[in-house]
Amino acid sequence: MNRSSSINAIILSLRPLGENNSSVTLLTPETGIVYAVLYGGPKSRLRSLVAQWNSGKVWLYENPEKNQIKINDFEVSNYHSSFSQNLYKSYAASLAAELAIKTRCGGSADLCFRLVSGFLDGMELCDEEQSRLGLLRFLWRYLELLGVQPSSHSCFECGRNFLDSQFAPKAISYYNSIENSFICPSCSENASSSDKEKMISIEHNAVQYLSALSLLSPAEARKLSIDEETYGQIRQLVFFLIENSIDQKLNSIETGMGIL
């Protein structure tokens, strides 16, 4: 980074630094997570602009002597003001931010920025119900970014395509964590009780939904709908997969239990 530079960024978090300053965590498409300092008290013009979830163009100055990056200016393009008015959106955004920070953008700053930016911008335009589906889609795609998204196109055992299969929607499939894949209802019936105890049961229509998310464009995926029971199963599965992939609990999920 040059001493002075400008870059697109999302404000992921702020915390007090001294009496009037703030330590700011930014997500950028070029360098990933950036930690910077914002100088100025409550009446500072920048203080009102550099607020959590705001995104836009930020001007930074790197001081090698202090080993510090300072925010000189910020041009906001998206405010995401609805997050402060809706508890679910606030927790969902916090989960996305925590994931980006703890996974170091999954090894791809640009793709992580696009995923998080698209998710936050989408939630701003949606109601809470739509945002809940948006979080499932975001987490499923983030698993792909991490390289650990389960194969949901076909049964691991028999190779049957989940989208083309004519199983009843409520027929039971299973997620096999050892193979990181799913087995269809037919193969599930042939599995032993001991094998099933090691796997996570999930209805066939839930697997079909995940398979469709992997194949469809974001615009097409937003048109898909699922019932409350299917939503709950997918939510439980993707939360498990995300935490299992990074081998640690996520504070946003733990503190937001009952909200997310």
Side-chain angles (χ1 to χ4, degrees), residues 9-252:
I10 302 170
I11 309 298
L12 296 185
S13 68
L14 298 95
R15 59 184 177 83
L17 184 65
E19 292 185 7
N20 293 316
N21 307 321
S22 298
S23 175
V24 184
T25 303
L26 307 166
L27 174 61
T28 72
E30 296 177 7
T31 53
I33 303 298
V34 174
Y35 298 98
V37 176
L38 174 66
Y39 290 98
K43 295 183 180 180
S44 164
R45 179 188 70 86
L46 263 182
R47 188 71 169 265
S48 63
L49 296 175
V50 182
Q52 190 177 32
W53 313 129
N54 283 0
S55 61
K57 191 172 185 179
V58 63
W59 280 261
L60 303 173
Y61 175 77
E62 184 175 9
N63 188 333
E65 296 177 358
K66 293 184 177 181
N67 191 28
Q68 183 185 87
I69 297 175
K70 171 188 173 183
I71 297 178
N72 279 338
D73 203 358
F74 190 42
E75 183 181 289
V76 182
S77 57
N78 289 293
Y79 285 89
H80 304 115
S81 57
S82 69
F83 294 9
S84 62
Q85 303 164 6
N86 184 284
L87 196 57
Y88 180 85
K89 289 185 179 183
S90 177
Y91 269 98
S94 295
L95 175 54
E98 186 179 2
L99 260 181
I101 294 170
K102 287 188 173 179
T103 64
R104 299 182 180 181
C105 298
S108 175
D110 178 61
L111 183 52
C112 179
F113 181 86
R114 282 189 280 141
L115 283 174
V116 174
S117 179
F119 174 52
L120 299 186
D121 291 348
M123 276 206 300
E124 180 63 23
L125 300 173
C126 295
D127 58 23
E128 182 175 320
E129 183 178 353
Q130 294 169 318
S131 295
R132 289 180 181 276
L133 285 178
L135 179 60
L136 296 188
R137 294 193 298 267
F138 168 77
L139 293 177
W140 184 248
R141 291 179 181 126
Y142 207 90
L143 288 168
E144 182 180 19
L145 170 63
L146 295 174
V148 294
Q149 186 189 85
S151 173
S152 58
H153 301 308
S154 58
C155 173
F156 174 76
E157 295 289 343
C158 68
R160 188 174 301 178
N161 188 303
F162 282 113
L163 288 177
D164 294 339
S165 301
Q166 299 300 313
F167 293 111
K170 299 297 182 180
I172 301 299
S173 296
Y174 279 87
Y175 167 71
N176 185 334
S177 59
I178 297 177
E179 302 295 342
N180 195 32
S181 59
F182 296 93
I183 61 174
C184 70
S186 290
C187 294
S188 299
E189 291 178 358
N190 298 326
S192 65
S193 298
S194 59
D195 286 340
K196 289 181 180 179
E197 290 176 358
K198 303 173 186 177
M199 297 186 286
I200 299 174
S201 63
I202 183 169
E203 291 178 353
H204 182 62
N205 58 348
V207 183
Q208 286 186 314
Y209 179 78
L210 294 175
S211 181
L213 292 185
S214 301
L215 296 173
L216 300 177
S217 68
E220 292 171 324
R222 286 194 293 270
K223 298 177 183 178
L224 300 177
S225 62
I226 51 178
D227 60 33
E228 191 66 28
E229 184 178 0
T230 301
Y231 166 82
Q233 290 190 0
I234 296 175
R235 170 188 168 278
Q236 182 179 15
L237 178 65
V238 294
F239 279 10
F240 166 78
L241 292 174
I242 281 290
E243 291 189 323
N244 190 57
S245 68
I246 63 175
D247 198 27
Q248 60 179 298
K249 295 292 183 181
L250 289 164
N251 295 331
S252 303

